[in-house]
Amino acid sequence: MATKAVVFDLGGVLIDWDPRHLYRKLLADEAAVEEFLATVCTLEWNAEQDRGRPFAEGVAELVERHPAHADAINAYHERWPEMLGGVIDGTVELLTELRAGGVPVYALTNWSVETFGIARERYEFLDWFDGVVVSGEERMIKPDPAIFELLLDRFGLDPEATVFVDDSEANVTAARQLGLDAVPFTDPTQLRNDLAALGLVEELSVG
């Protein structure tokens, strides 16, 4: 079946979001940054904000458990914009080409509803999508099959004619189990090759 739509993850695919951008400014060295993110402000803790928990609640709960890190924990919310790096240019170029070729494009992202507006103001291309599903608004996150089903139902997408791009193997696996043509993202060149193989963009010219 011919592809009729492409769905993008955002963080790590189109946007360089990484808490390290902030904590390298706040903590002593790289080892301290990695220790803090592995044991205090973990990905699992952040995922609850992506699922809809208010930042104030998440921060308060964590400060109670780790009072010695109170300032650094509060910074996760207060200085959240500093976690945003630049765009991943090669992927934005692919998004541009898909739109120019008339391919509908969508976004499915695990993102807090409180901070997604900051990203929208910063990155113009977030207004280019034909539809966006933000986990914090729906109070469910990838890889929960329910959020993929919501995306498909809301925008009338046929899973077999929909390509899904994500840098998380768990999310790619979940999408495939629902019948989507899911592509694991490693870098824009790899993604261009995958999309070119489907006839959606031009291959990268050599020489």
Side-chain angles (χ1 to χ4, degrees):
M1 181 179 292
T3 299
K4 297 195 173 96
V6 179
V7 179
F8 287 86
D9 175 36
L10 296 179
V13 175
L14 283 155
I15 297 170
D16 175 22
W17 175 85
D18 192 332
R20 291 169 183 81
H21 295 319
L22 169 63
Y23 286 103
R24 284 172 181 147
K25 304 174 188 177
L26 300 179
L27 302 178
D29 52 34
E30 199 70 15
V33 170
E34 294 305 321
E35 174 74 10
F36 179 79
L37 294 176
T39 61
V40 183
C41 287
T42 63
L43 288 174
E44 292 76 17
W45 172 80
N46 181 68
E48 293 310 306
Q49 279 72 256
D50 289 349
R51 198 194 301 273
R53 177 174 65 184
F55 259 100
E57 181 181 316
V59 166
E61 176 260 327
L62 209 55
V63 166
E64 186 175 344
R65 283 198 281 131
H66 300 279
H69 295 288
D71 288 346
I73 295 167
N74 279 301
Y76 202 102
H77 187 208
E78 294 168 358
R79 297 178 62 174
W80 184 90
E82 294 174 60
M83 298 182 194
L84 292 173
V87 302
I88 299 174
D89 290 321
T91 319
V92 177
E93 289 171 14
L94 290 168
L95 179 64
T96 302
E97 289 178 39
L98 290 167
R99 293 178 71 231
V103 178
V105 289
Y106 299 87
L108 175 59
T109 184
N110 284 355
W111 207 298
S112 164
V113 68
E114 292 178 71
T115 55
F116 190 66
I118 297 170
R120 266 202 186 279
E121 290 178 4
R122 184 171 298 192
Y123 303 114
E124 177 188 5
F125 65 81
L126 291 179
D127 291 327
W128 297 355
F129 292 102
D130 295 280
V132 178
V133 172
V134 178
S135 65
E137 295 177 356
E138 311 301 338
R139 303 189 72 82
M140 61 179 86
I141 59 173
K142 297 176 291 182
D144 184 345
I147 197 166
F148 291 96
E149 291 167 350
L150 183 149
L151 169 87
L152 297 171
D153 291 345
R154 180 170 294 171
F155 301 117
L157 302 178
D158 182 339
E160 294 183 3
T162 302
V163 173
F164 173 69
V165 181
D166 201 300
D167 63 330
S168 161
E169 192 59 46
N171 296 342
V172 167
T173 298
R176 285 176 176 164
Q177 289 173 345
L178 290 170
L180 286 87
D181 184 3
V183 175
F185 179 85
T186 54
D187 61 66
T189 300
Q190 160 265 319
L191 180 57
R192 176 175 291 279
N193 290 338
D194 288 337
L195 295 178
L198 295 168
L200 297 174
V201 298
E202 296 294 322
E203 290 187 44
L204 193 63
S205 59
V206 178

